[in-house]
Amino acid sequence: MSAASSDSAKIATASRRPFDPSLADPSRPSKLQRSSQSDISPADAEGGEEAGAESEAMAGARLYRAQRYLVAVEYDGTRFSGSQQQPNQRTVVGVLEDAGVHALSNVCHVDVERISKRKPGEVLPPHDPEVVKCAVNHFLHKNEGDIMVTDVRCVAPDFHARYKALERTYHYRLLSGPERPSIFEKNSAWHIPEDLNIQAMKKACNILVGHHDFSSFRAFGCQAKSPVRTLDELTVTEVFPVMFFPSSLERSEMESPDGSLVYSRASSLMGSSGEGSDVSSTSGKSACENGQEFGKRLRHRCFVVTARAQSFLYHQVRLMVGLLKAVGIGDLTTADVERILDAKTMTAAPPMAPAYGLYLDNVKYDPIV
């Protein structure tokens, strides 16, 4: 099995591991059998054959080969010790195949050879992708339930999830405000007590976008041969918090007559300072001073940093977010950003952002996949 994502938690490093789900969907489709070793060529998977008499059925069955599947998974990385296999640790690779990093859609490939249980050695036609998806999810949901297969497709035997990727997109969530984040948010975003200057952060993003030597944004242990990368996008956007429960005023302002969300009205509720309509407050006043109802929490401002490129260096995204945070709170200027980029040394950048705010959003392939 080989994962498609890269950098931020060494998700990209290809690994080999037998894929042995022994699974069944609740609707009981045909079960997945033990797979061949991942990344082994069909000839090696079959091994040497002895000459001699064999049934016509067996001869026909041997025409089938291990099917390579492209598998998309989403997971909450909170309780994982990383994506790669580690002794005595629960990892994404260990369950299917960065500590704390989440994935909306990580991708790997796996070779599955369907072996008959009734006739040992008989190779059966490959499973339909939907059967693989349902069977694996049935197994995963019986366990921790924090990882799920979202898509499965058949691909060519030489397809490689990591090296065929055209583009990867990461998101990083930041919560700004003096109050401690909700327990529902503590493992899903980086809490910044200070106000963030989004305009200064946007200017810093513009400096980093493009084709550069990103040596200042690679962590120790990076195995990339070259620090040069092309960063196609680096943006910061203010968004509604995920845990957004509108007040009575907001409900009336945000809905159209047919009940659908009116984004323009919703956006107007969030002023440039994040205040107004009791949507958010980043002041240090108590809830009573702000006229808040007892027991109601003040809302944080929520920002999403988006980074898009064909590939990233190890921890590059988290190091860039750490830099943007420092700019946002006023510790660094845009001139400092240029200086750090030009320094081309691992020790130039400020501390990187924690893993739990990072999300691998998408891995893009050629449309034929």
Side-chain angles (χ1 to χ4, degrees):
M1 178 178 292
S2 180
S5 61
S6 68
D7 91 302
S8 302
K10 284 191 176 177
I11 299 175
T13 305
S15 64
R16 292 187 173 183
R17 172 183 178 84
F19 185 71
D20 182 16
S22 301
L23 317 172
D25 176 68
S27 59
R28 304 194 68 80
S30 57
K31 295 182 179 180
L32 294 182
Q33 307 300 329
R34 182 178 301 273
S35 73
S36 61
Q37 180 77 5
S38 178
D39 290 339
I40 291 180
S41 66
D44 291 338
E46 281 197 66
E49 297 179 12
E50 294 182 2
E54 66 178 341
S55 68
E56 182 178 348
M58 284 295 292
R62 291 188 183 278
L63 295 177
Y64 295 113
R65 299 293 189 268
Q67 174 64 56
R68 177 160 291 190
Y69 296 95
L70 185 64
V71 181
V73 294
E74 67 176 13
Y75 49 82
D76 179 346
T78 303
R79 293 186 293 168
F80 289 108
S81 298
S83 68
Q84 298 305 306
Q85 200 167 5
Q86 300 176 39
N88 303 318
Q89 295 289 338
R90 183 171 181 259
T91 67
V92 176
V93 168
V95 173
L96 271 181
E97 138 148 271
D98 183 51
V101 175
H102 313 291
L104 305 178
S105 181
N106 197 353
V107 184
C108 60
H109 69 253
V110 60
D111 296 335
V112 178
E113 185 179 56
R114 186 182 174 194
I115 306 298
S116 172
K117 286 188 173 180
R118 296 180 179 178
K119 298 180 179 179
E122 180 179 0
V123 182
L124 303 177
H127 284 289
D128 182 82
E130 188 64 22
V131 172
V132 177
K133 174 183 173 181
C134 293
V136 175
N137 279 334
H138 178 62
F139 168 77
L140 295 174
H141 293 171
K142 288 195 305 182
N143 288 272
E144 301 293 341
D146 48 6
I147 181 170
M148 181 173 72
V149 174
T150 59
D151 200 0
V152 178
R153 299 188 187 184
C154 294
V155 291
D158 62 346
F159 183 90
H160 198 288
R162 179 182 180 188
Y163 301 118
K164 290 287 187 179
L166 302 178
E167 185 178 86
R168 296 166 174 85
T169 301
Y170 285 91
H171 297 302
Y172 197 99
R173 295 185 68 238
L174 299 162
L175 293 179
S176 172
E179 283 199 346
R180 294 177 64 88
S182 161
I183 60 171
F184 301 106
E185 291 275 25
K186 66 179 182 178
N187 292 317
S188 65
W190 185 17
H191 175 228
I192 311 298
E194 301 91 343
D195 288 334
L196 291 174
N197 184 335
I198 188 172
Q199 295 304 321
M201 295 170 72
K202 286 179 178 290
K203 292 179 180 178
C205 288
N206 292 335
I207 295 171
L208 296 177
V209 169
H211 189 72
H212 303 291
D213 181 330
F214 283 100
S215 293
S216 297
F217 299 92
R218 68 188 303 188
F220 290 103
C222 180
Q223 298 178 357
K225 295 181 179 179
S226 171
V228 177
R229 292 291 186 273
T230 299
L231 185 60
D232 297 311
E233 179 185 357
L234 185 64
T235 58
V236 55
T237 308
E238 185 165 9
V239 300
F240 281 107
V242 172
M243 300 293 289
F244 179 81
F245 302 104
S247 66
S248 57
L249 174 61
E250 291 163 354
R251 291 194 294 272
S252 64
E253 291 287 334
M254 293 169 61
E255 283 190 349
S256 64
D258 65 358
S260 60
L261 176 65
V262 179
Y263 289 96
S264 59
R265 293 180 186 175
S267 299
S268 69
L269 294 175
M270 296 290 287
S272 60
S273 65
E275 299 176 354
S277 299
D278 81 347
V279 169
S280 174
S281 175
T282 56
S283 71
K285 295 181 180 180
S286 68
C288 293
E289 290 175 306
N290 278 297
Q292 293 288 109
E293 181 181 346
F294 177 75
K296 296 282 286 186
R297 295 175 58 93
L298 298 179
R299 294 181 189 153
H300 294 89
R301 296 177 69 186
C302 185
F303 300 89
V304 172
V305 176
T306 299
R308 179 170 54 86
Q310 182 179 18
S311 62
F312 293 91
L313 301 171
Y314 183 40
H315 288 335
Q316 180 182 345
V317 177
R318 290 168 58 188
L319 282 163
M320 292 190 300
V321 173
L323 178 74
L324 294 178
K325 176 258 186 182
V327 172
I329 64 175
D331 285 353
L332 295 176
T333 66
T334 51
D336 292 321
V337 176
E338 294 178 341
R339 173 182 55 79
I340 291 170
L341 179 62
D342 293 339
K344 299 180 178 62
T345 175
M346 295 183 183
T347 58
M352 66 182 174
Y356 50 76
L358 182 63
Y359 298 76
L360 173 60
D361 174 62
N362 184 52
V363 182
K364 183 179 179 181
Y365 295 98
D366 187 279
I368 64 173
V369 175

